[in-house]
């Protein structure tokens, strides 16, 4: 049951579109989202089974419990507001329509938040990351697309108030981008960017096309978490240091100089 829910969540996190692997926010009319949260559906069934063990969930997933509770309250509020659409007072009906629109948007956001909370977290979610973009199939148009994607990630980092440092940048002849790498650091940077990795594609009429034909171009994105700094303490008593000296004719310098040193960590036998 758990694996099927994660598969449904993955389908929502990687929707189909012109850009292959890019993740976009769910709209209010997202059919997969409504099917997943339909009464009697897999997610409703899963959350219903967990209702009996709410105390256990509060210990392990307090955020999920709070969001599910808020979703139930908003759905109940929506049902009560919909009854006002049949009221004789026209002003009250208009007010109800506005409240329904606002409530539907909040419900969609809560459903999306529940899906994200169901995806298991990783130890590297809090880490900074290295972004690498490379032009793929499509010639100069692919390089232009790569440049646009790199600029998009840079603007997104500025929007999230992350640190963005360009490490490598190899432009093309007409303003595109062959390859680039950047270091991105900030709160939960890797958690928000890790799903961007993969092949992205675009279908459009390129600037280099004179006959108006649609071309397909690709580029690849790699997202690598940066390891966190650790304080490593090694007890000198756990080390065995072996030294080797050359032998044979060669004078005093050969016989008195340590020409090879081997350090062995005794607990792990690492050399």
């Amino acid at each position: 049951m758990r694996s099927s829910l994660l598969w449904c969540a993955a389908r929502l996190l990687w929707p189909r579109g012109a850009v292959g692997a890019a993740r976009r926010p769910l709209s209010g009319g997202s059919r997969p989202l409504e099917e997943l949260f339909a009464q009697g559906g897999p997610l409703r069934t899963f959350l219903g089974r967990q209702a009996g063990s709410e105390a256990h969930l509060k210990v392990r997933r307090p955020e999920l419990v709070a969001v599910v509770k808020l979703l139930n309250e908003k759905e109940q509020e929506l049902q009560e507001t919909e009854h006002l659409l049949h009221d004789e007072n026209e002003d009250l009906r208009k007010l109800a329509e506005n409240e329904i629109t606002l409530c539907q948007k909040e419900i969609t956001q809560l459903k999306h938040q529940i899906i994200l909370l169901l995806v298991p977290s990783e130890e590297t979610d809090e880490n900074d990351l290295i972004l690498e973009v490379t032009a793929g199939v499509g010639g100069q148009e692919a390089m232009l697309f790569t440049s646009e994607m790199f600029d998009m990630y840079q603007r997104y980092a500025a929007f999230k108030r992350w640190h963005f440092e360009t490490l490598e940048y190899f432009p093309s002849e007409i303003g595109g981008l062959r390859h680039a790498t950047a270091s991105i650091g900030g709160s939960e940077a890797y958690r928000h960017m890790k799903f961007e990795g993969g092949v992205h594609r675009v279908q459009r009429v390129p600037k280099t096309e004179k006959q108006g034909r649609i071309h397909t171009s690709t580029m690849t994105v790699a997202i690598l978490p940066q390891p966190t700094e650790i304080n490593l303490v090694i007890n000198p008593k756990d080390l065995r240091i072996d030294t080797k000296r050359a032998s044979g004719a060669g004078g005093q310098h050969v016989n008195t100089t340590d020409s090879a040193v081997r350090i062995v960590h005794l607990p792990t036998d690492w050399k």
Side-chain angles (χ1 to χ4, degrees):
M1 184 63 172
R2 177 78 174 183
S3 60
S4 63
L5 286 175
L6 292 178
W7 171 245
C8 293
R11 290 178 57 192
L12 290 170
L13 290 174
W14 295 300
R16 298 177 183 177
V19 179
R23 185 179 63 179
R24 294 170 292 185
L26 298 170
S27 62
S30 175
R31 183 176 177 182
L33 183 64
E34 297 302 326
E35 291 177 354
L36 186 61
F37 280 88
Q39 295 295 334
L43 187 55
R44 292 287 186 180
T45 303
F46 172 76
L47 296 177
R49 289 178 179 177
Q50 303 300 320
S53 57
E54 183 176 349
H56 177 65
L57 273 179
K58 284 184 177 179
V59 175
R60 296 188 57 189
R61 308 295 295 275
E63 295 181 5
L64 179 61
V65 173
V67 176
V68 170
K69 183 178 179 181
L70 185 57
L71 175 63
N72 293 334
E73 294 175 355
K74 284 295 179 181
E75 289 180 335
Q76 181 65 28
E77 179 183 342
L78 178 62
Q79 293 179 359
E80 296 175 355
T81 308
E82 287 176 343
H83 292 300
L84 299 177
L85 294 175
H86 306 287
D87 195 272
E88 297 179 355
N89 191 323
E90 183 178 356
D91 294 336
L92 189 58
R93 291 199 303 270
K94 291 182 179 180
L95 181 61
E97 292 176 357
N98 295 333
E99 288 294 329
I100 288 174
T101 302
L102 180 61
C103 196
Q104 288 174 340
K105 291 181 179 180
E106 294 179 356
I107 288 175
T108 300
Q109 293 175 354
L110 290 172
K111 290 178 178 179
H112 193 190
Q113 190 174 353
I114 289 175
I115 293 174
L116 293 178
L117 289 173
L118 286 173
V119 177
S121 60
E122 301 179 21
E123 294 182 358
T124 55
D125 281 351
E126 300 290 337
N127 290 20
D128 298 340
L129 61 97
I130 296 295
L131 166 70
E132 180 179 7
V133 297
T134 306
V137 178
Q140 292 292 340
E141 169 61 13
M143 298 180 192
L144 291 172
F145 178 45
T146 304
S147 177
E148 294 173 1
M149 292 289 290
F150 189 76
D151 292 341
M152 179 192 70
Y153 290 130
Q154 188 171 9
R155 290 194 295 267
Y156 181 68
F159 171 76
K160 299 289 289 185
R161 297 183 179 180
W162 293 339
H163 171 72
F164 188 98
E165 179 184 358
T166 301
L167 304 178
E168 295 180 327
Y169 195 92
F170 301 98
S172 66
E173 293 78 7
I174 62 173
L177 179 60
R178 299 177 183 272
H179 176 80
T181 58
S183 173
I184 302 178
S187 176
E188 296 185 335
Y190 183 73
R191 176 176 178 268
H192 289 279
M193 292 286 293
K194 61 184 178 181
F195 295 113
E196 293 295 317
V199 179
H200 298 246
R201 68 182 177 91
V202 64
Q203 290 179 309
R204 64 185 180 186
V205 179
K207 295 180 180 180
T208 56
E209 174 60 44
K210 301 183 182 300
Q211 299 181 5
R213 294 175 296 184
I214 297 177
H215 289 226
T216 300
S217 303
T218 64
M219 58 85 64
T220 58
V221 176
I223 304 293
L224 305 175
Q226 294 190 28
T228 56
E229 296 182 0
I230 60 173
N231 294 323
L232 183 61
V233 179
I234 299 179
N235 191 338
K237 296 180 180 180
D238 294 335
L239 300 179
R240 186 182 76 237
I241 301 177
D242 301 327
T243 59
K244 303 293 182 180
R245 297 179 182 179
S247 59
Q252 292 182 337
H253 178 73
V254 172
N255 297 323
T256 59
T257 301
D258 295 333
S259 57
V261 179
R262 181 176 62 182
I263 301 177
V264 181
H265 186 242
L266 298 177
T268 60
D269 198 31
W270 283 6
K271 299 179 178 62

